[in-house]
Amino acid sequence: HVFNLKKAGAATSLTNAGILKNIKALESGDEHLTAEEAERLLASELPHYEKLAERWVGKDTWDKLTPDRQQIIFNMAFNMGGNAFTITSLPRLLKKAVNSGRQEDYDAAADRMLGYKWAAQVKGRAVRLAERMRGGPKDDGYKRS
């Protein structure tokens, strides 16, 4: 997990995770997070990204997605952060898919996922997530607890 120390609210995120280290010292490398601190930070951030994923696709669509497809959208939102909201075509395609229940609509959503800059950045993960969006195997090597 990569945590952006320069993002707005980074110090608050650290404090909320019970980490009382100086942001500047972490940025400079004078201080480091322990593995346990990194785990606490990640755990404290996950609810934010689940809410972000739900807001991105819309509550009605989110509630109609299977748990696995919710996890796919969560994974994407986690990777993209607030940039997810600049992508409006996937939420529209997912809304169509959950309302129609047709495989071809889920296939269109998967195809669209692979067309994003995000897919080029995460490479194989994008291919695995798109396959899962189509209804394929559920193992992408990234688990949400």
Side-chain angles (χ1 to χ4, degrees):
H1 172 61
V2 175
F3 181 80
N4 183 354
L5 292 168
K6 295 182 182 189
K7 76 174 185 169
T12 301
S13 293
L14 288 169
T15 302
N16 289 344
I19 301 167
L20 304 175
K21 293 187 176 175
N22 182 286
I23 289 277
K24 296 293 180 197
L26 289 168
E27 285 176 342
S28 71
D30 290 340
E31 284 194 75
H32 301 281
L33 294 180
T34 66
E36 188 271 330
E37 288 170 331
E39 286 295 321
R40 278 199 335 256
L41 180 59
L42 175 60
S44 73
E45 294 275 289
L46 292 180
H48 163 77
Y49 289 102
E50 185 162 348
K51 287 182 178 107
L52 186 147
E54 182 181 308
R55 281 194 322 267
W56 178 28
V57 299
K59 180 156 178 47
D60 289 340
T61 299
W62 180 261
D63 289 345
K64 293 177 186 175
L65 288 169
T66 64
D68 188 53
R69 287 184 172 128
Q70 287 178 348
Q71 189 173 3
I72 293 164
I73 301 305
F74 166 84
N75 191 304
M76 292 178 72
F78 183 80
N79 289 150
M80 291 187 283
N83 292 332
F85 291 106
T86 64
I87 298 175
T88 57
S89 57
L90 184 61
R92 284 193 306 268
L93 287 168
L94 287 173
K95 181 177 182 178
K96 181 178 179 184
V98 298
N99 288 322
S100 75
R102 297 183 318 184
Q103 182 60 44
E104 56 263 32
D105 292 332
Y106 284 106
D107 290 344
D111 291 343
R112 189 67 202 109
M113 288 167 60
L114 294 173
Y116 294 136
K117 180 180 176 183
W118 158 85
Q121 294 169 336
V122 301
K123 299 174 179 62
R125 179 182 297 168
V127 173
R128 291 187 303 274
L129 291 174
E131 182 59 28
R132 285 174 54 197
M133 182 60 72
R134 294 178 204 281
K138 293 181 171 77
D139 183 17
D140 71 347
Y142 179 84
K143 302 289 185 242
R144 175 179 66 170
S145 32

